Amino acid sequence: MSGKREKKDKSDRRARDAQEAAGSGSDDDAASVLTTMDAIPDTVEGAEEMFRAALEAVSEKRRETRVAGLRKVSSFLAHRVSNDLLAGTVETLATYLAASLKKGDAEEQRCACRAASVLFVTLGVDGGPIYRELAEALERVIATSSADATAGAAIASLALGTYVCCDDEPRTQAVFERMRAVYAGESPATGKTTVTSALFARALLMTLQPAREFLESGFFTEIEELQALLDADSADVRIAAGHNIALLFDMVAEETDAGAEIANVLEDIDLDGLTEAIGELAALSSRYMARSARIEQKDFFRELKRVVEERARPEVSITVGSARFLFRSWAQLTAFEAIKAALAGGLNAHFAENSLLRDMFPSLELDNARLSNAQKRAVKSPNSPQARARDQGRGSARDRKAAERAGGHDD
């Protein structure tokens, strides 16, 4: 198994190197798409002129002009949050994006997918009508495109739009199940980018599921499918599958902490086999993988092993601008990573001005700019009351779970 995986990792690395050496122009990296325009003018008039010029370019007949326009629109919306500016043009923009998704080549479709993602985040819950118009075009790309990166971009955009803009539960559920069909192979594109995107998309929409009902009805099947994907050739696919496993176990821990009696959902799965598979990946050291990729995989699966064995929950502090956010669940991290991938370099602007993100991430812990050095030390120090209470709580939780597992083995 490991020999096959190492050979595939080596093949993937050679393909990437060849692509970079050939200068193929692949824009798989969203950040490259969102940094392709000059600085946005400070004045409202200047910004409007720049945006309208970019919008006009998207409607041009020449493909290269449309692609450049789509990139500029994405960059503008990522770095400048202005619903007033969009008020008179959003329907026109949506029409142009739908046209690019339906008639453009693979590169144009990818750029349109990313512009749609940023537009969804910009509009938030008010973007329902635009989402419904673009969702159809995005689904068509997923159903027909055999280009791995293009299908992956469409999947990410559709999932984010559903998460942010859709208030139709049957529609959300349909997209959620569509993602499983994609990584199960029911899609023209079956490459690692498509499968990885589908796994992360399903994770994002999984956070919208009624936790208790979903765990009781689908936990076993979900874990069984994801455990099989831990043996995938691609490290990206393995990590994405592991992320979904972590999210599922986090849902179990959260429901258990809330007093729900759902511990029996763990009885039907091969917990020992799952732990063993995760442990192998945590120790895997392939000489064909880049050093950074090896470290990333080891670190991730070591953390996942703690999640499965100890029901450990994350506690991750992320700084955006002058604010620090404390994430204590995989659901929060999943949503944050999806937003971050869409906005790239525009994350700071949206956290500062977009009310959607402030509502989505209420876990704002502190504003570094407003704290004195003494206050910072009091909050950050491992000896602070907050840190001691947190460590004691974790220790008690670990002891309780260890006792429960020991009691189960005695039976």
Side-chain angles (χ1 to χ4, degrees):
M1 178 182 74
S2 61
K4 177 182 177 183
R5 185 180 295 146
E6 289 184 359
K7 290 179 180 179
K8 180 62 178 175
D9 289 335
K10 183 177 182 181
S11 175
D12 289 347
R13 187 186 66 182
R14 285 176 171 173
R16 288 194 299 268
D17 291 345
Q19 186 181 59
E20 292 172 1
S24 63
S26 171
D27 57 348
D28 292 345
D29 182 3
S32 67
V33 176
L34 300 181
T35 55
T36 56
M37 66 186 295
D38 297 331
I40 299 173
D42 293 331
T43 64
V44 175
E45 294 78 8
E48 287 182 354
E49 183 178 351
M50 174 176 282
F51 181 70
R52 293 185 186 281
L55 188 61
E56 184 177 344
V58 177
S59 67
E60 290 292 329
K61 291 184 178 180
R62 188 167 177 264
R63 188 201 74 91
E64 289 79 5
T65 304
R66 292 197 304 273
V67 168
L70 287 167
R71 288 176 171 171
K72 289 181 178 180
V73 166
S74 296
S75 184
F76 187 97
L77 293 178
H79 292 87
R80 181 70 176 260
V81 184
S82 176
N83 289 333
D84 291 339
L85 179 60
L86 282 173
T89 59
V90 65
E91 291 83 4
T92 301
L93 174 57
T95 299
Y96 291 161
L97 292 180
S100 290
L101 290 169
K102 292 174 183 177
K103 300 178 181 179
D105 62 7
E107 182 183 13
E108 184 175 347
Q109 287 177 330
R110 288 196 297 275
C111 290
C113 288
R114 286 168 183 144
S117 294
V118 183
L119 182 60
F120 292 146
V121 175
T122 301
L123 295 175
V125 294
D126 296 327
I130 300 302
Y131 163 77
R132 288 189 288 274
E133 179 178 354
L134 293 178
E136 181 181 352
L138 290 167
E139 287 184 333
R140 185 175 181 275
V141 173
I142 297 169
T144 60
S145 179
S146 59
D148 188 29
T150 302
I155 287 166
S157 183
L158 178 62
L160 184 59
T162 304
Y163 181 85
V164 170
C165 302
C166 184
D167 58 1
D168 183 341
E169 290 186 12
R171 169 72 186 163
T172 299
Q173 192 64 27
V175 176
F176 178 62
E177 294 302 331
R178 180 78 175 91
M179 297 303 109
R180 170 187 269 170
V182 170
Y183 68 69
E186 301 174 22
S187 174
T190 57
K192 68 175 184 178
T193 301
T194 299
V195 174
T196 301
S197 291
L199 284 165
F200 280 123
R202 187 165 172 88
L204 179 64
L205 298 179
M206 192 186 298
T207 65
L208 301 179
Q209 297 293 308
R212 184 170 183 175
E213 293 85 346
F214 177 68
L215 290 170
E216 291 179 342
S217 63
F219 185 81
F220 173 78
T221 302
E222 205 81 21
I223 289 292
E224 190 176 45
E225 293 175 351
L226 293 171
Q227 185 172 347
L229 288 170
L230 293 180
D231 195 32
D233 292 329
S234 167
D236 292 338
V237 173
R238 297 195 293 268
I239 289 175
H243 183 100
N244 286 31
I245 291 172
L247 180 58
L248 284 165
F249 274 85
D250 198 47
M251 291 170 71
V252 171
E254 186 169 348
E255 288 298 300
T256 302
D257 290 346
E261 296 181 1
I262 58 168
N264 60 324
V265 300
L266 301 175
E267 294 176 358
D268 294 331
I269 68 170
D270 180 9
L271 197 55
D272 291 337
L274 177 62
T275 304
E276 182 180 354
I278 293 170
E280 288 180 2
L281 290 170
L284 182 66
S285 181
S286 169
R287 64 190 178 92
Y288 297 118
M289 292 176 67
R291 182 174 180 273
S292 59
R294 286 200 306 270
I295 293 173
E296 179 186 8
Q297 174 165 293
K298 284 185 175 183
D299 288 348
F300 174 80
F301 283 105
R302 283 170 184 163
E303 180 62 24
L304 180 58
K305 195 167 185 287
R306 289 184 62 244
V307 171
V308 173
E309 289 183 335
E310 304 175 20
R311 311 293 184 267
R313 307 190 68 188
E315 184 164 311
V316 179
S317 178
I318 297 176
T319 300
V320 180
S322 62
R324 283 180 58 227
F325 293 80
L326 190 61
F327 296 87
R328 291 192 173 97
S329 75
W330 284 92
Q332 289 179 326
L333 286 170
T334 299
F336 177 81
E337 290 299 330
I339 296 290
K340 178 182 175 183
L343 297 178
L347 194 65
N348 287 1
H350 275 261
F351 263 93
E353 302 178 35
N354 190 334
S355 61
L356 169 71
L357 300 195
R358 293 195 295 270
D359 293 339
M360 283 177 60
F361 305 107
S363 54
L364 179 62
E365 184 189 30
L366 54 88
D367 184 339
N368 287 329
R370 298 179 180 178
L371 294 183
S372 67
N373 289 333
Q375 288 173 316
K376 292 177 184 178
R377 286 195 296 272
V379 174
K380 295 180 182 180
S381 171
N383 294 318
S384 69
Q386 295 96 322
R388 288 198 299 271
R390 185 174 61 243
D391 292 343
Q392 289 170 2
R394 286 176 174 173
S396 298
R398 281 196 296 269
D399 292 343
R400 174 173 54 80
K401 288 166 184 172
E404 289 173 356
R405 289 197 298 274
H409 291 313
D410 291 341
D411 294 339

